[in-house]
Amino acid sequence: MNEDIEAFIENQLAAWPTARENYAALRGVRVKTLRMDGTGYRIQCNPARIVSSGARVDDRSIRRRACFLCEANRPPEQRGIRVLDGRYEFLLNPYPIFPRHLTIASTRHEPQRIAPRVDDLLRLARLLPGYTLFYNGPRCGASAPDHAHFQAGSRGFLPIEAQWKEQRRRLGGCGQSSLYALDDAPRRTLVIDAGSETEAAALLRTACRALPLPPGHDEPMVNLLCLYEARRWVLFLFPRRKHRPACYDAPGDARLLCSPASVDLGGVFILPVERDFERTDADGLRQILGEVCPTEAEFQTLQQRIQSTLAASASETLKQETR
């Protein structure tokens, strides 16, 4: 599948000037590295991403614009590859963060929700072994909360892919699969390392059910990364308590256009404004993460709820096996 995707991307870049120019510009973006409490983060100054970072996603704004993921509203140059019985379409993202950046859009216009798409995420990851897939919740960085979609980017681009095994603490698991918490405050991450699709789905659903449901929300606030490698799935869950940090809407010089989503929490912060890139330091990054991620007490409560659920499930399984 990766060879087909590579050919598809090259064809799109040849036929689509906007995408070609933005991918060429990506090779020259400024990047700096910050270390915070032993964890490394990269900051990418990417002006093309102003389209996403600056998107207004309130209900009124969504109703007033055409959905850019619906086929009828896409640029004439944009083509797709349909997968999973035609229910999703691979599209080239014309405003890239990764050297290879795909949007995986539902072929139906329906809300961004993870609960009915857990199995789809795992199957899509298996179709794209050279990519890391990600999901942004409707109030966690998604610029199209009205149209269900995932995204995928080049494997190995996100620092957390290499960091997580050094920071993990096992909370429990099932079968040949485990669920971990990472010691990576103030980000606060859960990781699933699963040897089967069934176990990966069960642990992901367990973790999502343990997350709090904010008033007025249809699902818990969460960002996800998912990759498939060596017949195993690895999923990173980033619980959230706030959509955007206070600096996003701050007046005057205090404003910093940062809208964290899966890629940012995976270790690559995207700042489309050069002035924001230049002045962001480790203290500023810590402030942003501290606002949008759970507190230590909230994360401890979440871990306890997950462990209780896993223990109860293991006890029930044991009862059934001994009957």
Side-chain angles (χ1 to χ4, degrees):
M1 189 69 184
N2 278 355
E3 291 181 2
D4 293 337
I5 291 296
E6 187 65 22
F8 163 72
I9 291 173
E10 293 303 323
N11 288 335
Q12 281 284 268
L13 292 175
W16 192 359
T18 298
R20 184 168 62 250
E21 291 166 7
N22 285 335
Y23 278 84
L26 184 65
R27 293 194 289 270
V29 297
R30 297 174 62 191
V31 177
K32 66 181 180 181
T33 299
L34 299 176
R35 294 201 66 81
M36 183 175 55
D37 302 326
T39 299
Y41 293 85
R42 293 201 302 274
I43 314 298
Q44 183 189 100
C45 182
N46 189 335
R49 293 298 298 180
I50 192 75
V51 174
S52 178
S53 297
R56 288 294 170 184
V57 292
D58 58 281
D59 291 341
R60 184 166 180 259
S61 296
I62 293 295
R63 288 194 301 269
R64 293 177 64 182
R65 61 106 170 109
C67 176
F68 55 86
L69 292 182
C70 284
E71 186 173 8
N73 303 322
R74 295 178 201 156
E77 301 94 339
Q78 192 170 32
R79 298 288 185 264
I81 299 176
R82 294 204 169 192
V83 293
L84 296 192
D85 299 321
R87 294 187 294 110
Y88 291 89
E89 196 164 13
F90 290 160
L91 304 169
L92 181 66
N93 191 315
Y95 305 105
I97 297 170
F98 301 80
R100 292 291 185 259
H101 191 161
L102 303 173
T103 299
I104 307 171
S106 170
T107 50
R108 298 178 59 187
H109 184 75
E110 47 197 356
Q112 179 82 325
R113 301 288 181 272
I114 190 58
R117 300 179 185 277
V118 167
D119 296 321
D120 293 343
L121 173 62
L122 299 171
R123 290 166 191 164
L124 289 165
R126 192 166 187 171
L127 285 177
L128 293 169
Y131 288 77
T132 296
L133 277 70
F134 53 104
Y135 170 84
N136 294 325
R139 299 190 189 182
C140 298
S143 54
D146 55 330
H147 194 121
H149 67 287
F150 301 104
Q151 295 183 64
S154 311
R155 178 75 54 79
F157 183 83
L158 298 175
I160 198 170
E161 295 175 35
Q163 295 168 344
W164 72 275
K165 290 184 180 180
E166 300 174 359
Q167 301 172 319
R168 60 183 172 174
R169 291 179 291 103
R170 192 175 188 272
L171 300 180
C174 60
Q176 301 301 309
S177 304
S178 297
L179 195 155
Y180 301 94
L182 300 191
D183 295 318
D184 63 346
R187 180 168 55 191
R188 312 193 200 284
T189 310
L190 299 171
V191 180
I192 294 167
D193 179 16
S196 79
E197 187 175 315
T198 300
E199 292 171 1
L203 289 174
L204 179 54
R205 290 189 171 101
T206 294
C208 287
R209 283 195 296 267
L211 295 170
L213 182 64
H217 288 230
D218 295 319
E219 71 174 21
M221 297 183 70
V222 67
N223 296 98
L224 297 170
L225 301 172
C226 178
L227 59 89
Y228 178 78
E229 188 172 48
R231 299 185 179 181
R232 297 190 71 84
W233 284 263
V234 179
L235 296 101
F236 302 89
L237 290 76
F238 305 104
R240 299 284 291 267
R241 64 189 179 102
K242 189 177 180 181
H243 181 193
R244 286 166 168 164
C247 62
Y248 186 90
D249 288 313
D253 290 344
R255 189 180 190 206
L256 193 149
L257 198 66
C258 179
S259 183
S262 298
V263 171
D264 307 80
L265 295 171
V268 180
F269 269 75
I270 310 303
L271 299 180
V273 179
E274 186 171 9
R275 178 175 177 271
D276 294 343
F277 170 82
E278 291 174 347
R279 63 181 172 147
T280 297
D281 57 16
D283 288 339
L285 204 60
R286 184 179 289 105
Q287 175 68 28
I288 289 168
L289 287 170
E291 287 186 43
V292 302
C293 298
T295 65
E296 177 63 27
E298 290 168 339
F299 195 51
Q300 288 294 333
T301 299
L302 173 60
Q303 292 177 64
Q304 291 166 6
R305 293 180 64 179
I306 289 172
Q307 287 179 308
S308 295
T309 301
L310 291 175
S313 177
S315 177
E316 182 60 30
T317 299
L318 181 61
K319 289 179 182 178
Q320 292 176 359
E321 291 176 347
T322 55
R323 284 174 185 167

